[in-house]
Amino acid sequence: MDKVIKSANEASEKIIEWSESQKIETCFDRAQKLKPCPIGVTGACCKICHIGPCRFVGQNAEEEARGVCGATLPTVASRNFLRMAVAGTAAHSDHARDMAFTLLAVANGETSDFKITDVKKLYKIAGILEIEFEGRTVNDVARDVAMKLIEDFGRQKGVLNYIKRAPQKTQERWKKWGITPRGIDREIAEAMHRTNMGVDHEPDNLLLSALKVSLADGWGGCMISTDITDILFGTPRPVKAEASFGIFKEDEVNLVVHGHEPTLAEIIVDVVNEPEMIEYAKSKGAKGINLGGMCCTANEVLMRHGIPTTGGFTNQELAVLTGLVDAITVDVQCIMPALAELSKKFHTKVITTSHKAKMPGATHIEYDEHKARDIARQIVRLAIDNFTNRKKEGSHITEKFPLIAGFSHEYIEYMQGGRWRASFRPLNDAIIAGRIRGVVGLAGCDNPRVPSQGLHRFLAVELIKNDVLIVSTGCGSAACGTAGYLTPEMALENAGPGLREVCEAIGIPPILHLGACVDNSRILTIASAMAEEGGLSDEIGGMPAVGIAPEWMSEKAIAIGCYFAASGVPVIFGGESPVAASEEVTRIMTEVWPERFRGALHFEQDPEKILELTLKYIDMAREALKLKKYEPGKFGAERVLMDMAARREIERSAKPHIGIY
Ligand code: NFS
């Protein structure tokens, strides 16, 4: 029998092989053993009341199958889908709420462990929120910003603060179809109400609700989280780092921060550099303390401090299997419960830190932003103490790759024109001229049901060959980073001629790492800025841009896919469709949504077809915008992109400015 490739990541594959030789089970083995329920996976199981669960199966299930209550398959599939979007929105937005309360605690002087790092970003957000900042103390402005953003959660009427950041035309579409979100919590509660037994039965209406609650995620939860994280910890700018399992050091204490929230991890970054801590580590025989990240907490500290990443979702158990992790601290989301049991086979300590996310078998050290540093020290000490328990067993993988991360909206604007002429003009011009064919957001999870990270890698390479600029987030970035794709050399070796020129002129990789999954909000503001810049579409819809989540698994990905679709972006997800059972629901997402919002949500399992559909969308958008037909190596007239030297020249000749980007 042919060997089953479980991960396209060679280092992961080696660890998996080692685990098999040791008879240690991972998600890859469990994914083989436990096939998805064929009814549930297509959205054809209803379990929202206790008359059922009801299964909607059979040849004419779409027309004929009925639940005991009389519900049809399209109702059930769309209702299940809406519940996924709600859960995803709740997860991102609850994270955002914690960020807002941390900002408030800082502004009120309740914690000395955090400070406002990026005053310029604070003022930018204050400006958007129409909060006066001239002549006021930073903390006063921060308090008002925090309070105004906290209002977004509980608002009952009106619209979210950030809705106005979308292009006018995009907003008008939302208004016309009644999906402009009011308050985040209100949309979540209303959507849950609609999906309760016997309430909303119309598939179209349920799906509009999915778009509405997801817009509350994208233009609410995610965007709030990104902005406050930037204000507190700094807006990212390019930073060098490393990725993959080789980031662990045999002779140092290895501590991993895993999950999604940046706050505790930020303090840990600081604490591992405290001289007393390093001394303490040395007293236990270690040469130092080595911090690494996992999933989106990794992305947060990678973007701002260059902390190396072990990778994405499917790498978490594999990190423990190296035998080199002395402690792994987790906060919320995408944390496999398998970690605790697995860690018992090694010396690794798993530490939970959120009251919302406990795990049998883990050590719980509860995080509180008012005493963050003390808690961080406790965690780091625990990791150091555990270093002496390290055993010889483990796969001890040494591969690692360099990468460049740190591309925020602000930096991307800056890199195109410097401090004085920062704009999206050069990017728009490069697209107009056909040098860049289009832009793809490559995002979402990695998944043990496919050779994990492989679809990301395939699409990344093929798209950049086709002159498509990629912006990546979350585990999409991790998949690219652990393959060595997030480097300028990647452009030299693989990009099409037009994209290569652009990357060379600016000195950037062809895949720009924008951050964690909540930082997909950066794509929304970038697309809005491109619309405002002119020359392409005057709304987000109609841009030569596509969103792809080829290995998605989380409900958060569904919320993200929906907010992009509602904002006007065609989105393609890999894997089996969670609404595959219903042709009607699939039709609404792929045919009705484009007419109303210019975005769509497709599910396509074949990576070649994902690529084909992506390029088709991009070329169709180019044609509708009457742009030059894309031909590799043949470009139309465009403005000259400023290289670094020209940019520095302008900056030298200009007078000082508070700009920091
Ligand atoms: Ni996004 Fe980040 Fe990864 Fe998927 Fe999970 S870590 S928030 S949900 S698995 S990309």
Side-chain angles (χ1 to χ4, degrees):
M1 206 173 98
D2 285 347
K3 184 179 169 304
V4 181
I5 303 284
K6 294 178 175 166
S7 176
N9 177 335
E10 297 76 13
S12 299
E13 188 68 10
K14 280 187 203 160
I15 301 179
I16 295 166
E17 277 168 16
W18 183 81
S19 75
E20 285 168 350
S21 72
Q22 304 295 307
K23 305 218 176 330
I24 301 175
E25 198 178 68
T26 64
C27 63
F28 297 95
D29 305 299
R30 292 187 294 271
Q32 299 286 320
K33 275 205 287 196
L34 191 66
K35 294 293 170 202
C37 161
I39 303 166
V41 74
T42 62
C45 170
C46 181
K47 57 177 183 66
I48 63 159
C49 82
H50 211 55
I51 313 173
C54 297
R55 284 159 297 171
F56 292 68
V57 290
Q59 268 200 333
N60 296 320
E62 178 98 14
E63 290 79 29
E64 290 168 10
R66 295 288 179 274
V68 178
C69 69
T72 64
L73 175 52
T75 298
V76 167
S78 50
R79 194 159 55 190
N80 289 340
F81 182 80
L82 170 53
R83 281 212 168 177
M84 294 176 93
V86 177
T89 300
H92 285 145
S93 301
D94 206 36
H95 162 178
R97 187 196 325 267
D98 286 346
M99 296 308 301
F101 277 105
T102 303
L103 180 63
L104 187 63
V106 172
N108 286 337
E110 290 166 18
T111 167
S112 54
D113 293 337
F114 300 108
K115 64 177 195 316
I116 287 155
T117 303
D118 193 340
V119 176
K120 189 181 173 195
K121 179 103 186 203
L122 174 72
Y123 290 168
K124 175 179 163 180
I125 300 306
I128 292 167
L129 297 172
E130 293 171 47
I131 291 167
E132 188 58 63
F133 55 88
E134 304 266 359
R136 301 181 67 204
T137 68
V138 167
N139 275 1
D140 280 347
V141 179
R143 186 177 308 110
D144 286 357
V145 165
M147 288 307 294
K148 189 113 190 199
L149 292 176
I150 288 168
E151 278 172 20
D152 269 344
F153 294 90
R155 183 181 300 97
Q156 301 303 314
K157 294 195 169 165
V159 303
L160 292 186
N161 281 306
Y162 282 164
I163 290 300
K164 63 180 174 195
R165 294 175 82 170
Q168 198 59 38
K169 266 183 134 173
T170 308
Q171 291 182 47
E172 281 161 17
R173 290 179 186 275
W174 297 338
K175 203 167 169 190
K176 181 173 174 200
W177 293 100
I179 61 165
T180 314
R182 297 156 295 187
I184 298 165
D185 295 350
R186 174 156 193 193
E187 300 312 342
I188 291 170
E190 185 182 300
M192 285 306 285
H193 177 193
R194 283 171 185 239
T195 62
N196 183 233
M197 194 270 153
V199 185
D200 200 354
H201 299 126
E202 192 181 80
D204 187 24
N205 210 38
L206 285 158
L207 293 172
L208 282 171
S209 178
L211 295 182
K212 190 174 188 177
V213 76
S214 300
L215 284 175
D217 185 26
W219 298 84
C222 287
M223 208 171 277
I224 291 172
S225 183
T226 297
D227 284 344
I228 296 181
T229 309
D230 285 354
I231 290 169
L232 285 173
F233 307 128
T235 302
R237 45 195 310 169
V239 58
K240 277 191 191 160
E242 289 175 328
S244 200
F245 302 98
I247 64 160
F248 295 135
K249 297 188 177 154
E250 302 263 355
D251 51 4
E252 293 193 14
V253 174
N254 292 308
L255 170 61
V256 176
V257 285
H258 174 21
H260 285 76
E261 294 188 338
T263 35
L264 176 59
E266 277 282 331
I267 296 285
I268 292 179
V269 171
D270 236 38
V271 167
V272 295
N273 287 309
E274 288 177 352
E276 313 81 72
M277 258 330 152
I278 296 170
E279 271 317 303
Y280 186 56
K282 287 185 177 160
S283 77
K284 301 282 177 182
K287 285 214 170 116
I289 311 166
N290 178 40
L291 187 63
M294 175 73 67
C295 286
C296 282
T297 300
N299 285 323
E300 299 279 7
V301 288
L302 167 66
M303 292 285 283
R304 295 184 179 84
H305 304 286
I307 299 298
T309 177
T310 332
F313 178 70
T314 56
N315 282 9
Q316 55 189 291
E317 288 171 292
L318 308 184
V320 174
L321 282 158
T322 62
L324 295 171
V325 178
D326 300 303
I328 176 165
T329 167
V330 303
D331 46 68
V332 291
Q333 302 169 19
C334 302
I335 296 147
M336 287 191 192
L339 280 183
E341 212 177 305
L342 178 65
S343 68
K344 287 189 203 133
K345 299 193 167 66
F346 296 85
H347 77 300
T348 308
K349 286 258 186 274
V350 178
I351 305 159
T352 51
T353 57
S354 167
H355 69 278
K356 298 173 205 168
K358 295 190 177 180
M359 195 191 299
T363 307
H364 189 70
I365 302 179
E366 195 150 310
Y367 171 66
D368 174 350
E369 74 252 31
H370 299 92
K371 33 186 185 163
R373 189 168 294 271
D374 289 345
I375 292 161
R377 285 187 180 137
Q378 217 181 316
I379 290 170
V380 175
R381 276 180 178 276
L382 197 145
I384 295 171
D385 288 337
N386 201 30
F387 175 75
T388 48
N389 296 326
R390 206 186 280 175
K391 301 175 194 131
K392 284 264 175 293
E393 298 91 71
S395 57
H396 295 246
I397 289 294
T398 52
E399 274 110 328
K400 60 179 175 181
F401 295 92
L403 65 86
I404 296 182
F407 292 92
S408 52
H409 174 129
E410 289 79 358
Y411 187 81
I412 293 175
E413 200 170 27
Y414 163 79
M415 79 186 187
Q416 296 180 79
R419 198 177 293 175
W420 311 103
R421 295 199 347 208
S423 87
F424 280 87
R425 192 71 247 158
L427 175 59
N428 281 18
D429 283 345
I431 294 172
I432 291 166
R435 207 173 287 271
I436 292 178
R437 186 170 181 176
V439 181
V440 157
L442 188 60
C445 327
D446 50 333
N447 194 318
R449 292 227 173 266
V450 290
S452 76
Q453 307 177 347
L455 304 193
H456 285 285
R457 292 177 177 198
F458 166 76
L459 288 162
V461 172
E462 292 304 317
L463 288 167
I464 64 174
K465 265 191 215 162
N466 277 282
D467 289 308
V468 174
L469 177 70
I470 298 178
V471 289
S472 73
T473 58
C475 294
S477 292
C480 293
T482 52
Y485 291 179
L486 300 180
T487 59
E489 293 71 39
M490 181 69 181
L492 298 180
E493 288 157 20
N494 293 290
L499 179 62
R500 189 169 59 230
E501 257 187 58
V502 172
C503 292
E504 271 182 312
I506 316 182
I508 52 166
I511 304 170
L512 304 179
H513 185 346
L514 261 53
C517 275
V518 289
D519 295 326
N520 280 309
S521 68
R522 299 192 203 273
I523 304 179
L524 296 177
T525 57
I526 288 168
S528 302
M530 287 168 70
E532 196 182 329
E533 190 64 55
L536 294 171
S537 178
D538 56 357
E539 58 181 320
I540 297 177
M543 293 281 183
V546 174
I548 312 180
E551 299 185 30
W552 77 281
M553 62 84 202
S554 167
E555 292 164 316
K556 289 180 287 171
I558 292 290
I560 294 168
C562 285
Y563 72 63
F564 274 105
S567 301
V569 181
V571 176
I572 310 168
F573 275 36
E576 176 125 38
S577 163
V579 296
S582 170
E583 278 173 25
E584 172 63 359
V585 174
T586 305
R587 186 188 70 82
I588 294 170
M589 289 179 179
T590 54
E591 292 175 30
V592 178
W593 286 1
E595 286 163 18
R596 294 174 183 167
F597 309 109
R598 307 195 73 176
L601 182 54
H602 297 264
F603 290 89
E604 175 53 65
Q605 297 193 47
D606 179 349
E608 298 275 358
K609 286 192 182 147
I610 296 178
L611 177 66
E612 199 182 303
L613 186 56
T614 303
L615 295 176
K616 191 170 150 201
Y617 263 122
I618 287 174
D619 290 344
M620 271 167 26
R622 294 190 66 88
E623 202 182 327
L625 290 168
K626 305 208 174 350
L627 302 183
K628 189 185 163 299
K629 191 167 184 304
Y630 166 77
E631 286 174 280
K634 293 189 185 162
F635 320 121
E638 67 178 314
R639 275 184 180 203
V640 179
L641 279 163
M642 264 201 293
D643 63 11
M644 268 298 178
R647 202 179 313 156
R648 269 195 290 271
E649 196 42 54
I650 290 180
E651 277 166 22
R652 253 199 299 276
S653 59
K655 52 184 195 312
H657 186 264
I658 58 158
I660 51 168
Y661 301 119

